Amino acid sequence: MNFRRAFIEEPELNLIPMIDVMLVVLIFLAVSTTFSRFTQLQIVLPSADADRPQTRLQEIQVAVTADGRFAIDKAVVPMNDPQSLSELLRAAAQGNTAPLVVINADAQSPHQAVVTVMEAARLAGLTHLSFATQRRTTER
């Protein structure tokens, strides 16, 4: 008869592979994480100190008011969809293939209104865009 007690081996938990996996996941998260800083930015637009270019192209002036209305070459237009604006931009170009579209947007104008003008210019085939700004006042 065997009166010896059976030797019960205590289970062992090996933590080293789990630590390796956790370090790889931590490195992956640290590399792939993007930090958003939009809440930290205080943006005041538009103003610039750039000089006007000496050579002048044919310009099409597009104004965007603070409430999102449009004017093309000082004529207020009732449309606000890109397709209608593109037809008016084509007519204002008068067959010129490369006029400069100058967007005079109010600093408080909706971003969507400016994007609508840019989309209308793309639909009209006008690729030269510029944004009008005012000079900064030097208050010291």
Side-chain angles (χ1 to χ4, degrees), residues 49-78:
D49 292 330
D51 293 329
R52 285 193 103 156
Q54 298 300 324
T55 59
R56 304 251 337 200
L57 300 172
Q58 177 195 2
E59 294 180 352
I60 301 173
Q61 300 288 331
V62 180
V64 181
T65 63
D67 58 350
R69 291 181 292 139
F70 303 104
I72 298 177
D73 287 333
K74 298 181 182 179
V76 177
V77 294

Side-chain angles (χ1 to χ4, degrees), residues 34-91:
T34 59
F35 297 100
S36 178
R37 296 177 193 228
F38 291 116
T39 58
Q40 298 173 356
L41 297 178
Q42 297 295 327
I43 299 174
V44 178
L45 293 177
S47 64
D49 292 330
D51 293 329
R52 285 193 103 156
Q54 298 300 324
T55 59
R56 304 251 337 200
L57 300 172
Q58 177 195 2
E59 294 180 352
I60 301 173
Q61 300 288 331
V62 180
V64 181
T65 63
D67 58 350
R69 291 181 292 139
F70 303 104
I72 298 177
D73 287 333
K74 298 181 182 179
V76 177
V77 294
M79 300 89 155
N80 60 2
D81 62 300
Q83 290 78 18
S84 301
L85 287 174
S86 68
E87 292 299 323
L88 293 172
L89 287 174
R90 271 194 210 105

Side-chain angles (χ1 to χ4, degrees), residues 124-137:
L126 307 173
T127 57
H128 300 288
L129 296 175
S130 178
F131 292 93
T133 58
Q134 61 184 357
R135 287 196 183 272
R136 291 187 186 138
T137 58

